[in-house]
């Protein structure tokens, strides 16, 4: 199926209906990955904002550095050290959340400590990784690269996103209610603690799934920026989630395609975040002008 | 007289104690007491006396020692809770309708909404005078308006037991009258109501039983027994009484 999409795009490029860049198979793979990732990142991002977990998703992304180093040191392939990445990120996220629920330490302080620790351990491990492989290869994993998305990655991404969607759709309201009003949620029989952990697992899973495209370091930003943008101009939760998903998807698509089209040597993750941040700045500007006008009237 | 079918539970407290903090300082108890089914019970007392903690313990929101048993007449019924206040972030685009839907439906907010659910929510909001503000953001409402919405969500499921933590907080006269009317209506339908309240006049209007809490149960009884002609200035003295003092002394004070 993926091959036929690639063939179709190549044919369209040949006929001049699409730009020449669409004849490259790896770009089509990356665009397909963007189409799968975007809506999930945008949708989950609204909950990240409502639950005020922006810093948390950032920490999980940074924790990926250690996970990658660990995977490579344990003999996994340099391009996709998935087991090390998955295991470390999951343990890291669950441990952080567990400590949060059992101590009185303010959440931002706790995330700060965990984030610094993960980076420190990751940096220390990179010294050993450098003896095994060229460290520059790691840049692909840290900042994303469209060259590395294989067919197998796409299927893995699709399965991960279907799993996340299957968990998210029936629980979205209850996760939101338990973050907005935990007491009312508990009285209504919502297992708030279970949903907290479920959400942490979903965030970790999407972080891992997005590593190849957006990069471990920048994926947290894409969970945050489209939601933060949508929040500036949407009047209710329904449009908030929809716009966040649309903005995340468009950012992923443009961030993947533009550097290729303009022949810019920019990692896909960086380009995606820059496009996303541009939308945010435009929305901020719109709000400032709109508010100024309203004040003037 | 109308025959009321009681659907709310009797609440039995046995040696209920609450401790907080590293040194397990006891903030409440031991309390052994029974709240009769199908009545409006008002818990009153000074700030820091443990009223809210007791209410939260009854709901299972705060850990305690001892035993709290809800004795339902016809199997477990529906429980609702109106917290003292809820903090809604003003910048989050969560409207009144969104908040009500969160409490009523498991269909994700961004999915297609069922007309039947919307109608039901609007009817409930209309009762609380909030239907015209259904599309307003929760974080932009005044304290009294938020309280009305919190009350509306509690009434959505026609509860058999409702716990209210200072329900009149920040409300105007009209809102207070409305809440009192709705509380009375719930009781006439057989529900049990437990409310933390400060206003002596309001307590006299709505309560069947009054329970004075100040670290422990100071006194308990009908409004006439606990608050006979009591003036607001008597409130502090009432709360300062020890558990050993008899109702006779309380009546003498009033």
């Amino acid at each position: 199926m993926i091959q036929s999409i690639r063939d179709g795009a190549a044919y369209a490029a040949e006929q001049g209906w699409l730009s020449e860049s669409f004849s490259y198979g790896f770009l089509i793979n990356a665009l397909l990955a963007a189409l799968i990732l975007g809506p999930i990142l945008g949708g989950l991002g609204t909950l990240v904002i409502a639950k005020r977990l922006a810093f948390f998703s950032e920490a999980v992304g940074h924790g990926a550095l250690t996970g990658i180093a660990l995977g490579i040191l344990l003999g996994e392939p340099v391009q996709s050290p998935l087991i090390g990445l998955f295991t470390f990120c999951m343990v890291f996220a669950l441990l952080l959340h567990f400590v949060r629920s059992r101590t009185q330490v303010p959440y931002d302080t706790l995330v700060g400590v965990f984030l610094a620790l993960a980076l420190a351990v990751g940096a220390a491990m990179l010294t050993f990784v450098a003896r095994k492989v060229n460290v520059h290869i790691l840049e692909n994993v840290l900042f994303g690269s469209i060259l590395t998305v294989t067919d197998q990655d796409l299927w893995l991404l699709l399965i991960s996103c279907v799993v996340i969607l299957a968990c998210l759709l029936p629980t979205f309201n209850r996760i939101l209610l338990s973050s907005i009003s935990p007491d009312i949620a508990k009285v209504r029989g919502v297992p708030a603690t279970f949903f907290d952990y479920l959400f942490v697992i979903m965030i970790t899973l999407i972080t891992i799934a997005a590593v190849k495209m957006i990069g471990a370091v920048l994926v947290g930003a894409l969970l945050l920026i489209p939601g933060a943008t949508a929040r500036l101009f949407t009047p209710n939760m329904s449009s908030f989630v929809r716009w966040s998903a649309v903005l995340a998807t468009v950012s992923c698509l443009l961030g993947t395609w533009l550097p290729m089209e303009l022949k810019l040597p920019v990692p896909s993750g960086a380009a995606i975040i820059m496009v996303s941040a541009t939308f945010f700045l435009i929305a901020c500007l719109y709000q400032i002008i709109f508010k100024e006008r309203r004040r003037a009237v | 007289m109308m025959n009321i079918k009681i659907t709310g539970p009797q609440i039995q407290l046995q040696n209920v104690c609450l401790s907080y903090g590293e040194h397990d300082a006891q903030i409440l108890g031991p309390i052994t007491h029974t709240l009769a089914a199908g009545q409006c019970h008002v818990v009153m007392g000074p700030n820091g006396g443990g009223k809210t903690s007791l209410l939260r313990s009854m709901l299972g929101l705060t850990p305690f020692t001892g035993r709290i048993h809800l004795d339902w007449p016809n199997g477990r019924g529906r429980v609702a809770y109106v917290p003292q206040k809820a903090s809604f972030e003003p910048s989050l685009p969560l409207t009144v309708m969104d908040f009500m839907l969160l409490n009523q439906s498991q269909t994700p907010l961004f999915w297609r909404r069922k007309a039947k659910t919307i109608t039901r929510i609007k009817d409930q909001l209309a009762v609380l005078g909030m239907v015209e503000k259904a599309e307003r953001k929760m974080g932009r409402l005044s304290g009294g308006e938020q309280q009305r919405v919190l009350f509306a969500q509690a009434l959505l499921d026609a509860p058999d037991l409702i716990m209210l933590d200072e329900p009149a907080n920040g409300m105007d006269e009209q809102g207070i009258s409305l809440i009192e009317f709705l509380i009375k209506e719930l009781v006439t339908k057989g529900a049990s109501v437990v409310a933390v309240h400060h206003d002596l006049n309001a307590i006299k209007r709505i309560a069947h039983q009054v329970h004075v809490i100040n670290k422990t149960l100071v006194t308990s009884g009908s409004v006439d027994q606990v608050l006979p002609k009591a003036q607001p200035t008597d409130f502090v003295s009432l709360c300062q009484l020890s558990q050993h003092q008899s109702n006779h002394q309380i009546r003498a004070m009033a």
Side-chain angles (χ1 to χ4, degrees):
Chain A
M1 194 177 86
I2 297 168
Q3 185 57 46
S4 55
I5 296 170
R6 277 196 296 259
D7 290 344
Y11 178 75
E14 225 171 76
Q15 297 297 314
W17 301 333
L18 288 174
S19 145
E20 195 193 328
S21 56
F22 283 90
S23 58
Y24 296 106
F26 64 84
L27 177 71
I28 303 303
N29 276 12
L31 288 174
L32 285 173
L35 269 176
I36 300 168
L37 265 176
I40 303 280
L41 281 167
L44 272 178
T46 57
L47 287 177
V48 167
I49 286 171
K51 289 173 85 70
R52 299 180 186 190
L53 285 178
F55 206 25
F56 168 81
S57 56
E58 205 61 49
V60 174
H62 283 66
L65 176 69
T66 312
I68 289 161
L70 201 67
I72 293 170
L73 285 177
L74 292 174
E76 282 194 83
V78 180
Q79 295 289 357
S80 55
L82 286 178
I83 298 171
L85 183 63
F86 180 82
T87 313
F88 183 80
C89 281
M90 202 57 89
V91 170
F92 177 80
L94 292 175
L95 188 68
L96 199 165
H97 207 70
F98 177 77
V99 175
R100 177 203 182 187
S101 62
R102 298 297 169 101
T103 62
Q104 302 289 319
V105 183
Y107 193 47
D108 56 344
T109 310
L110 195 66
V111 174
V113 171
F114 267 72
L115 192 149
L117 180 68
L119 269 179
V121 176
M125 280 186 167
L126 282 182
T127 321
F128 297 101
V129 172
R131 288 179 195 163
K132 265 183 119 176
V133 295
N134 183 353
V135 177
H136 291 296
I137 296 173
L138 280 178
E139 282 174 14
N140 291 342
V141 193
L142 293 175
F143 304 110
S145 168
I146 56 170
L147 294 169
T148 56
V149 183
T150 62
D151 284 13
Q152 194 194 339
D153 291 331
L154 277 177
W155 285 114
L156 206 65
L157 187 62
L158 190 66
I159 292 166
S160 304
C161 287
V162 168
V163 170
I164 291 170
L165 210 59
C167 292
L168 183 66
L169 288 180
T171 58
F172 183 89
N173 283 10
R174 284 175 285 176
I175 291 175
L176 189 59
L177 181 63
S178 37
S179 60
I180 288 167
S181 185
D183 288 344
I184 291 177
K186 279 178 194 162
V187 170
R188 287 190 172 276
V190 176
T193 310
F194 169 75
F195 283 132
D196 268 356
Y197 278 101
L198 181 70
F199 187 67
V200 166
I201 290 169
M202 284 194 278
I203 292 290
T204 311
L205 206 58
I206 196 71
T207 304
I208 296 159
V211 155
K212 282 209 160 183
M213 269 293 293
I214 303 160
V217 175
L218 294 171
V219 66
L222 203 62
L223 273 166
L224 174 68
I225 301 173
T229 311
R231 184 168 67 169
L232 288 172
F233 62 85
T234 49
N236 54 45
M237 283 304 291
S238 173
S239 56
F240 178 37
V241 178
R242 287 175 191 177
W243 269 104
S244 178
V246 167
L247 287 169
T249 310
V250 172
S251 301
C252 283
L253 288 172
L254 283 179
T256 305
W257 177 65
L258 279 178
M260 184 74 191
E261 187 64 24
L262 303 173
K263 296 184 172 52
L264 294 170
V266 178
S268 56
I272 288 168
I273 299 304
M274 283 193 277
V275 171
S276 188
T278 306
F279 287 141
F280 178 74
L281 292 175
I282 292 169
C284 282
L285 210 62
Y286 168 79
Q287 210 195 32
I288 292 165
I289 294 167
F290 184 67
K291 273 193 173 172
E292 286 299 319
R293 273 193 190 165
R294 266 207 309 206
R295 265 186 215 148
V297 173
Chain B
M1 194 181 150
M2 205 167 65
N3 197 10
I4 297 169
K5 190 192 170 201
I6 291 174
T7 57
Q10 182 187 63
I11 303 169
Q12 294 167 346
L13 312 170
Q14 285 174 5
N15 286 319
V16 174
C17 293
L18 272 101
S19 307
Y20 275 144
E22 289 170 12
H23 306 294
D24 281 345
Q26 190 163 308
I27 57 151
L28 188 69
I31 294 177
T32 298
H33 196 49
T34 300
L35 308 187
Q39 293 189 349
C40 178
H41 299 269
V42 169
V43 180
M44 58 182 284
N47 293 333
K51 308 179 295 295
T52 295
S53 300
L54 181 64
L55 197 78
R56 290 174 60 82
S57 298
M58 290 183 203
L59 287 163
L61 296 173
T62 299
F64 58 90
T65 57
R67 186 169 175 265
I68 296 177
H69 177 66
L70 304 185
D71 191 5
W72 296 90
N74 316 305
R76 190 179 161 80
R78 291 170 293 254
V79 182
Y81 174 50
V82 180
Q84 195 171 357
K85 64 171 186 175
S87 51
F88 297 97
E89 204 192 315
S91 65
L92 192 69
L94 179 86
T95 63
V96 171
M97 180 56 79
D98 288 335
F99 180 70
M100 295 293 277
L101 277 166
L102 284 183
N103 285 281
Q104 196 56 34
S105 167
Q106 289 192 14
T107 309
L109 285 182
F110 51 88
W111 221 250
R112 203 172 157 220
R113 297 166 178 190
K114 289 177 190 160
K116 201 176 156 189
T117 313
I118 297 289
T119 310
R120 217 167 126 226
I121 289 172
K122 280 188 173 172
D123 288 346
Q124 200 60 67
L125 286 173
V127 171
L128 271 299
M130 290 298 293
V131 72
E132 281 168 12
K133 293 179 180 173
E135 295 308 320
R136 285 264 191 97
K137 289 180 185 174
M138 283 297 289
R140 300 271 165 90
L141 297 179
S142 71
E145 286 172 330
Q146 284 187 0
Q147 206 64 22
R148 285 183 188 229
V149 179
L150 290 175
F151 204 86
Q153 68 77 28
L155 293 182
L156 270 174
D157 299 317
D160 302 304
L161 169 63
I162 184 164
M163 303 266 192
L164 311 154
D165 195 353
E166 301 190 27
N169 232 358
M171 273 200 187
D172 54 20
E173 287 291 323
Q174 197 191 7
I176 292 169
S177 306
L178 185 61
I179 296 289
E180 287 178 10
F181 169 77
L182 291 169
I183 289 174
K184 285 176 189 167
E185 197 179 50
L186 278 168
V187 176
T188 57
K189 286 179 181 169
S192 301
V193 178
V194 182
V196 170
H197 220 307
H198 280 303
D199 184 347
L200 287 180
N201 292 323
I203 293 169
K204 284 177 183 173
R205 288 194 294 269
I206 59 169
H208 291 109
Q209 298 284 315
V210 180
H211 315 278
V212 183
I213 300 284
N214 188 11
K215 308 284 182 194
T216 184
L217 182 67
V218 176
T219 185
S220 171
S222 68
V223 177
D224 290 339
Q225 286 171 323
V226 179
L227 304 171
K229 300 169 195 164
Q231 298 301 309
T233 45
D234 299 331
F235 180 71
V236 176
S237 319
L238 194 61
C239 297
Q240 283 168 346
L241 282 172
S242 77
Q243 196 178 16
H244 307 294
Q245 285 173 289
S246 66
N247 281 351
H248 174 75
Q249 284 171 288
I250 298 163
R251 277 195 291 275
M253 183 190 76

